[in-house]
Amino acid sequence: MKRQNISDKIKAKVRKSANYRCGFCLFQEYYSHTTFQIDHIIPIAKGGTNDEENLWLVCETCNRAKSDKTEGFDAETNTTVPIFNLRNQIWNENFEWCENHTKIIGTTPIGRVTVNELNLNKERIVRIRKNWVVVGWHPPND
């Protein structure tokens, strides 16, 4: 089966819906040296489609870490739970920023699994966020 490309029209709609920022780490594409990627929430390899409802904008770092993952183990509840659904779940209901806004804290099993599986608090990223806070680029205002 030949893989179908995502149309430019759908890509543009997804980018705008995502407010031009990564759905996982909230990094704003405007401040990035790379163009963000369109992520398949359910990977094609696991039955996902190129339909707009299965797509969201993510930075390269988060997309690489997510790969084809759809779930992970939450040690606190001793259960396997899905990774945060960028389209159907609300970021603030699953995550919060630490006091100085440099680390993402998972506040639910889904949030904890996503932080862990995608390594959202890599040392390098936390260091970069510290600089973004200083210049007023982080955290996002909405």
Side-chain angles (χ1 to χ4, degrees):
M1 173 188 273
K2 184 180 176 188
R3 183 174 174 171
Q4 301 235 338
N5 290 329
I6 302 166
S7 74
D8 289 342
K9 182 178 178 181
I10 288 179
K11 286 179 184 178
K13 284 177 73 177
V14 168
R15 298 181 100 69
K16 186 175 182 179
S17 293
N19 203 20
Y20 306 97
R21 69 177 175 212
C22 177
F24 291 115
C25 71
L26 303 187
F27 183 31
Q28 298 173 66
E29 187 176 35
Y30 179 80
Y31 301 121
S32 177
H33 71 284
T34 62
T35 302
F36 285 6
Q37 301 166 352
I38 304 296
D39 176 58
H40 289 86
I41 296 166
I42 309 274
I44 296 287
K46 294 188 177 181
T49 68
N50 284 338
D51 294 337
E52 184 179 345
E53 299 77 32
N54 189 46
L55 304 172
W56 204 250
L57 190 66
V58 296
C59 69
E60 184 177 353
T61 302
C62 287
N63 199 31
R64 195 176 311 122
K66 180 180 176 264
S67 185
D68 66 348
K69 297 173 188 167
T70 57
E71 62 185 21
F73 183 76
D74 177 42
E76 192 172 313
T77 60
N78 203 31
T79 59
T80 298
V81 298
I83 288 175
F84 178 68
N85 185 311
L86 303 161
R87 199 166 263 287
N88 298 330
Q89 295 172 319
I90 299 170
W91 196 92
N92 291 335
E93 292 178 0
N94 292 278
F95 309 96
E96 64 185 19
W97 293 105
C98 71
E99 189 174 327
N100 69 1
H101 304 290
T102 59
K103 291 186 179 180
I104 299 171
I105 300 166
T107 58
T108 65
I110 287 171
R112 288 189 295 272
V113 160
T114 304
V115 168
N116 185 52
E117 292 294 326
L118 275 62
N119 199 9
L120 295 180
N121 294 314
K122 284 183 193 175
E123 182 180 333
R124 179 179 63 86
I125 298 296
V126 170
R127 194 171 54 246
I128 291 169
R129 286 183 192 138
K130 284 180 184 176
N131 292 317
W132 295 340
V133 168
V134 169
V135 296
W137 295 351
H138 182 77
N141 293 329
D142 59 349

